Amino acid sequence: LMSYGPNTASAYRQAARMVDKILQGASPGGLPIEQPQKFDLTVNLATAKSLDIVFPASILARTTETVR
């Protein structure tokens, strides 16, 4: 129905930067823990309609992806 989580493409780029640092000689234990930089909000309107749920326009305006 609704999902909010890290953007996978952004997370893969972030992981690639960390791998690059390790391959250049950085100690894995010395690298800081990083939180995801981008998040996605996905709303499934088909499921919402079947459950008679109406999302406010303010939520729909913030969605990254809308499943119809």
Side-chain angles (χ1 to χ4, degrees):
L1 178 64
M2 190 171 167
S3 170
Y4 183 72
N7 177 288
T8 53
S10 175
Y12 289 144
R13 282 190 295 274
Q14 196 171 359
R17 283 191 299 273
M18 294 187 82
V19 168
D20 182 52
K21 289 178 185 179
I22 293 168
L23 292 176
Q24 290 181 8
S27 170
L31 294 176
I33 296 173
E34 296 181 9
Q35 298 223 2
Q37 300 295 319
K38 291 183 179 181
F39 290 86
D40 289 336
L41 175 62
T42 304
V43 173
N44 188 327
L45 292 178
T47 302
K49 184 177 181 179
S50 69
L51 296 171
D52 293 325
I53 297 173
V54 178
F55 286 102
S58 61
I59 289 180
L60 294 177
R62 295 180 179 146
T63 61
T64 309
E65 182 180 356
T66 305
V67 179
R68 296 188 187 273

